[in-house]
Amino acid sequence: MRIDIVTIFPEFFSVLDVSLIGKARQSGLIELAVHDLRDSTHDRHRTVDDTPYGGGAGMVMKPEPWGEALDGILQADDPGAGSSSVVIFPSPAGEPFTQAIARELALAPHLVFGCGRYEGIDQRVVEHTKTRATVREISLGDYVLNGGEVAAMAMIEAIGRLVPGMVGNPESLTEESHEAGLLEYPSYTKPSVWRDLDVPPVLLSGNHGAIATWRHEQQLERTRRVRPDLLSE
Ligand code: ADE
């Protein structure tokens, strides 16, 4: 998978050199490039924003640098096969990010993250990008961040670990929270007694059927208590 990120804060993404994503980059499974949006400006001040048409608070990101930056990134696509790129604009006004979306995007050969700042990007950039790629406007959740960078990073981590060939133990992916529409069961390790707290005895019983039943009950109880909305869907 290839990932391109467009941002005015390229240094944000230096953490992607470490951890699982860092390993995937070293092994060649994920090829990742970060592009400074200001490299696609042509004025002395490297301006990326301007006041909003129609008035209102804040600044809006200008379309021209975005157009030029995306031209360079999307041109590299195979022109014969139609675009296989998915361009993601993180935005609090987008569709909510879910494990299902992460799973879907993990199969795409090329992801581009366009990280907006201020009050967002001129909407024509989104409309124009739809003429040459699949576009998704995606929100991390119902709260407002200062820009798309942290949202892009969270999505890259969630997507990256699902890329085929990524994690050593595929079972750890299917048994975790959200994979079956339920939250994960609680986990324990040694010692069996810690500060007078026992590990649930069923986990020490060696009875695999009983353990599976207990874990499923825990998943249901936890989901009912913390996220009843997941059960009503
Ligand atoms: N940019 C600002 N807020 C955001 C959010 N909640 N999700 C994605 N991108 C954002």
Side-chain angles (χ1 to χ4, degrees):
M1 171 185 282
R2 179 173 171 89
I3 300 176
D4 288 284
I5 302 166
V6 183
T7 172
I8 58 168
F9 293 120
E11 62 273 23
F12 248 89
F13 293 93
S14 55
V15 295
L16 293 176
D17 290 336
V18 297
S19 186
L20 212 64
I21 300 289
K23 269 196 209 128
R25 290 176 72 183
Q26 276 165 18
S27 75
L29 199 61
I30 292 179
E31 191 190 340
L32 188 142
V34 183
H35 309 265
D36 188 340
L37 180 69
R38 292 192 199 276
D39 291 344
S40 298
T41 60
H42 299 285
D43 63 311
R44 205 154 52 88
H45 300 291
R46 298 174 30 107
T47 310
V48 292
D49 62 332
D50 208 334
T51 53
Y53 276 124
M59 300 290 270
V60 176
M61 292 190 110
K62 294 162 65 60
E64 303 96 317
W66 278 103
E68 190 175 310
L70 292 170
D71 285 348
I73 291 167
L74 295 172
Q75 238 165 37
D77 282 355
D78 177 6
S83 177
S84 53
S85 302
V86 181
V87 181
I88 298 149
F89 292 105
S91 162
E95 59 180 321
F97 188 60
T98 60
Q99 189 70 10
I101 292 177
R103 237 180 283 126
E104 185 188 334
L105 294 176
L107 301 177
H110 185 202
L111 300 180
V112 182
F113 287 87
C115 302
R117 283 260 144 186
Y118 315 114
E119 295 306 308
I121 305 170
D122 187 306
Q123 192 64 28
R124 289 170 294 180
V125 173
V126 176
E127 295 314 313
H128 184 263
T129 307
K130 285 179 185 169
T131 65
R132 52 185 176 165
T134 302
V135 171
R136 306 283 290 260
E137 292 176 272
I138 302 181
S139 171
L140 206 58
D142 292 340
Y143 41 80
V144 179
L145 305 167
N146 278 332
E149 282 79 7
V150 167
M153 204 110 66
M155 289 188 238
I156 288 167
E157 184 150 318
I159 295 163
R161 59 197 293 283
L162 299 175
V163 169
M166 204 41 192
V167 177
N169 174 12
E171 246 181 40
S172 72
L173 291 181
T174 56
E175 290 204 355
E176 64 196 7
S177 289
H178 299 296
E179 278 300 336
L182 296 174
L183 300 183
E184 199 169 10
Y185 51 77
S187 298
Y188 302 86
T189 186
K190 292 179 264 310
S192 61
V193 183
W194 176 75
R195 298 194 179 183
D196 282 339
L197 296 169
D198 293 332
V199 167
V202 65
L203 298 178
L204 310 178
S205 69
N207 181 339
H208 297 297
I211 291 170
T213 302
W214 180 85
R215 284 179 167 166
H216 187 65
E217 284 166 4
Q218 290 291 311
Q219 284 191 284
L220 285 170
E221 187 281 321
R222 199 181 233 186
T223 308
R224 227 177 265 129
R225 178 166 44 86
V226 182
R227 292 293 306 278
D229 55 303
L230 294 178
L231 294 171
S232 60
E233 277 167 12

